[in-house]
Amino acid sequence: MNQQAIEQDVINRAVWEACDTFRGVVDSNVYKDYVLSMLFLKYISDVWQDHYEGHQKMFGEHPELIEELMQAENFVLAPEANFHSLHAKRHQPGNGERIDRALHLIAEQNAGKLREVFRDISFNSTRLGEEAVKNDILRHLLEDFAKPVLNLRPSRVGALDVIGNAYEFLVKHFAASSGKKAGEFYTPPEISQLMALLVDPKRGEKIYDPTCGSGSLLMKCGQLIRQREQSREYELYGQEAINSTWALAKMNMFLHGENNHRIEWGDTLRTPKLLERDGQLMRFDVVVANPPFSLEKWGHESLLEDPWNRFGRGLPPRTKGDYAFILHMIESMRQDTGRMAVVAPNGVLFRGAAEGLIRRQLVQENLLDAVIGLPEKLFYGTGIPAAILLFKRQRQRRDVLFIDASNAYQDGKNQNQLRPCDIEKILHTVQARQSVPGYAWLADEEELARNEYNLNISRYVLSQKDQTETDFLSLRAERALLQRQLHTLEEEMDQHLRALGILPQELKVVGG
């Protein structure tokens, strides 16, 4: 194990243990915001202190030069907003109030990157108990993050990814313990990785997630470009409806060094925020999302006359918002390079009425490229079977690839997981674009029309069991046909024998 792996494991364990301060006192879905915010505060304080002391060693006799150099930092940190100042006063009353003031000052002084990020996070909240209890809980939290193991100075931990990974580690563990709420802010990393590989983002492209949660799916796309092309020349865009989750995404981007991003807060369907100057939707090279499954109150009434013309193919049903998100994403793709991947419940593949008409339209416009059925229990908070739908502008062919990947996964007690070999098989099949018995089927336009644009994967891809049953039924049918042909042949022979004056019973006697 290399040094970075050791540091990562140690830091992950330490930040997770810091959660013990809240366990049994506050619900994990509440205290996750406090722990993640404290990790953020500790990190920027350590970076600031590290750089300041480094400059002090070099230019100790020139404080004005040190101040000038600190002005060039990636962010501004006032002394009273520094974690170490808060830690020094931890035994005094007012910890909650002091931490809140520090966070608001950081947001104010770094408005370009962190404007209003902490507006809904209050360490001075009564949710942490009465004043004395709250002060004690926060003292413990400050002491946990002051431990030597959580010294996050760059001169100690080195790569920035160590901090970003620790943040992701916490978000993933909070998701695992948050039940249904987990789906609001987190997409499992294996799914994010698969979707990034499928849309194949490239240097110079604009990437968009209209329901970005904590931003992990966007960052997987950016990470892929950096790995493949050693470039940070790309732009990440996102929108998130839940304020506290939007704040998570902003901090996540900051901790991963993703400076070239724009993450907006608001309801993507009712009030899309990523607009051109003329008020029209912005268009992107790559669009990815894991929207809320079958959202009931998605804004049907208020969008009967949609100002952004997203529902020309049909208005999705009042109580299921899946196609509302899909159609928003379709309209957000660029006309030339646009491609997208969206996770949706399997119901979007076969439900009728308005959704059936929308589905037909999308296929007939030659936008749908592939449908990939996923194993159950991959997503936090829901066991609903789901699929990834791939769409592309400017497709050169008119077939649709169906993949049944529902049986390829690592079985888990509460959560199943895609293995690297499962991801590789899906990716290879999409790239090869060929039928694979029991796994994939390339359906042409006529077949899709014969199925009345029902995209249920089992209509196209026969499982091994189905394949065996089908083979058996075929053999039975063939045997019945042969029996009928044999019967007909025997009758014809009898007629010929009678014509020659030989009765069938005499033939039996002759034959013995």
Side-chain angles (χ1 to χ4, degrees):
M1 187 179 290
N2 60 34
Q3 184 61 33
Q4 179 169 323
I6 294 170
E7 290 288 352
Q8 187 71 70
D9 182 56
V10 170
I11 290 173
N12 288 353
R13 194 164 55 247
V15 294
W16 188 240
E17 285 172 359
C19 299
D20 287 341
T21 293
F22 294 100
R23 290 191 181 108
V25 180
V26 185
D27 185 81
S28 65
N29 197 46
V30 173
Y31 71 68
K32 83 174 191 307
D33 294 333
Y34 296 119
V35 174
L36 290 168
S37 299
M38 189 57 70
L39 175 62
F40 179 82
L41 176 61
K42 182 61 166 51
Y43 169 67
I44 63 171
S45 298
D46 283 353
V47 170
W48 184 269
Q49 201 69 22
D50 205 37
H51 291 182
Y52 185 85
E53 290 177 8
H55 294 324
Q56 222 175 14
K57 283 181 184 174
M58 294 183 68
F59 311 108
E61 296 179 1
H62 303 281
E64 69 288 348
L65 177 57
I66 295 173
E67 289 301 319
E68 192 175 330
L69 288 170
M70 292 306 291
Q71 293 300 318
E73 285 291 318
N74 195 29
F75 57 91
V76 178
L77 185 66
E80 61 270 36
N82 192 309
F83 170 88
H84 303 286
S85 300
L86 298 168
H87 177 257
K89 297 178 180 176
R90 66 190 183 283
H91 291 293
Q92 300 176 18
N95 278 326
E97 196 177 343
R98 275 193 298 277
I99 297 172
D100 279 355
R101 273 205 308 271
L103 293 179
H104 293 155
L105 187 57
I106 290 169
E108 186 182 317
Q109 292 185 323
N110 300 276
K113 295 175 179 175
L114 300 170
R115 183 192 301 274
E116 298 185 333
V117 163
F118 305 110
R119 65 183 156 197
D120 278 1
I121 300 172
S122 174
F123 284 77
N124 203 28
S125 167
T126 52
R127 292 195 297 180
L128 295 179
E130 296 177 352
E131 186 59 34
V133 175
K134 177 174 61 187
N135 211 55
D136 196 50
I137 288 174
L138 295 177
R139 175 179 65 79
H140 281 295
L141 186 66
L142 289 164
E143 289 175 349
D144 286 338
F145 274 89
K147 290 176 180 174
V149 70
L150 281 180
N151 175 357
L152 305 177
R153 294 183 181 215
S155 59
R156 175 176 176 265
V157 300
L160 181 67
D161 278 350
V162 173
I163 311 303
N165 292 342
Y167 190 88
E168 281 285 302
F169 168 85
L170 278 180
V171 172
K172 180 180 178 181
H173 278 68
F174 284 130
S177 60
S178 293
K180 289 185 177 179
K181 288 186 175 295
E184 294 175 352
F185 62 85
Y186 194 65
T187 300
E190 302 79 21
I191 301 294
S192 297
Q193 178 72 14
L194 172 61
M195 292 174 74
L197 289 165
L198 288 169
V199 294
D200 190 22
K202 293 180 171 59
R203 178 179 180 178
E205 291 192 324
K206 293 182 177 180
I207 303 156
Y208 170 51
D209 183 343
T211 57
C212 70
S214 61
S216 56
L217 185 47
L218 282 172
M219 287 191 296
K220 284 289 182 190
C221 291
Q223 188 182 50
L224 198 59
I225 296 173
R226 295 200 304 278
Q227 287 173 350
R228 287 175 168 176
E229 306 189 55
Q230 290 75 52
S231 171
R232 281 189 176 269
E233 190 184 330
Y234 54 83
E235 298 172 25
L236 303 180
Y237 295 82
Q239 185 164 339
E240 172 54 43
I242 300 171
N243 189 34
S244 59
T245 306
W246 168 80
L248 289 185
K250 292 287 288 184
M251 287 190 280
N252 209 359
M253 292 281 168
F254 191 96
L255 291 174
H256 280 88
E258 295 287 9
N259 294 326
N260 203 9
H261 71 265
R262 180 179 166 191
I263 307 294
E264 297 288 346
W265 170 49
D267 184 321
T268 293
L269 296 178
R270 293 181 175 88
T271 54
K273 296 290 182 67
L274 293 165
L275 303 173
E276 301 289 356
R277 287 184 178 177
D278 62 2
Q280 295 303 305
L281 295 177
M282 288 177 69
R283 301 292 182 98
F284 303 89
D285 304 286
V286 171
V287 184
V288 288
N290 174 18
F293 285 2
S294 301
L295 194 63
E296 290 187 10
K297 297 177 181 176
W298 58 270
H300 180 277
E301 293 81 4
S302 58
L303 291 171
L304 288 171
E305 293 184 10
D306 178 39
W308 298 280
N309 301 314
R310 292 169 292 182
F311 307 121
R313 298 175 181 86
L315 193 64
R318 186 183 305 273
T319 57
K320 285 189 171 51
D322 301 309
Y323 272 104
F325 287 106
I326 291 173
L327 292 176
H328 171 86
M329 294 172 71
I330 293 280
E331 293 306 313
S332 298
M333 280 197 293
R334 281 183 54 154
Q335 290 293 340
D336 48 0
T337 58
R339 53 203 188 277
M340 73 176 245
V342 58
V343 178
N346 281 359
V348 304
L349 304 177
F350 54 78
R351 290 194 297 246
E355 291 181 298
L357 296 175
I358 293 169
R359 200 165 52 237
R360 174 196 295 261
Q361 188 72 21
L362 291 172
V363 173
Q364 290 181 337
E365 286 182 41
N366 198 28
L367 290 166
L368 182 62
D369 190 64
V371 178
I372 303 165
L374 298 172
E376 61 179 9
K377 295 198 303 182
L378 284 185
F379 298 91
Y380 296 104
T382 178
I384 296 176
I388 295 175
L389 279 66
L390 299 182
F391 293 89
K392 283 182 184 174
R393 298 278 189 191
Q394 309 300 330
R395 294 182 70 230
Q396 300 302 310
R397 43 195 309 158
R398 300 193 67 85
D399 49 26
V400 174
L401 180 67
F402 290 85
I403 295 178
D404 179 6
S406 61
N407 295 312
Y409 60 91
Q410 175 72 49
D411 196 13
K413 184 178 178 183
N414 299 317
Q415 212 72 38
N416 294 330
Q417 196 172 24
L418 288 181
R419 299 163 296 191
C421 62
D422 303 322
I423 294 174
E424 181 59 33
K425 186 176 181 182
I426 293 171
L427 191 64
H428 175 76
T429 306
V430 168
Q431 291 170 344
R433 212 167 178 83
Q434 292 178 345
S435 298
V436 179
Y439 186 72
W441 181 255
L442 200 55
D444 59 23
E445 285 182 278
E446 290 74 18
E447 187 174 6
L448 294 167
R450 277 201 308 277
N451 280 302
E452 299 179 330
Y453 303 95
N454 182 321
L455 304 178
N456 200 349
I457 297 170
S458 61
R459 287 199 175 211
Y460 303 90
V461 184
L462 295 178
S463 67
Q464 200 63 45
K465 178 172 175 287
D466 291 338
Q467 189 75 50
T468 303
E469 289 177 353
T470 300
D471 291 346
F472 179 70
L473 291 172
S474 298
L475 284 173
R476 280 184 55 183
E478 190 175 351
R479 187 184 68 176
L481 177 63
L482 289 172
Q483 284 175 332
R484 287 197 298 273
Q485 289 176 339
L486 179 61
H487 182 70
T488 303
L489 185 60
E490 286 176 342
E491 284 185 343
E492 289 176 357
M493 285 182 65
D494 285 349
Q495 289 175 3
H496 288 306
L497 289 170
R498 286 193 182 94
L500 293 172
I502 303 172
L503 296 175
Q505 53 268 38
E506 293 174 351
L507 190 62
K508 288 179 182 174
V509 172
V510 172

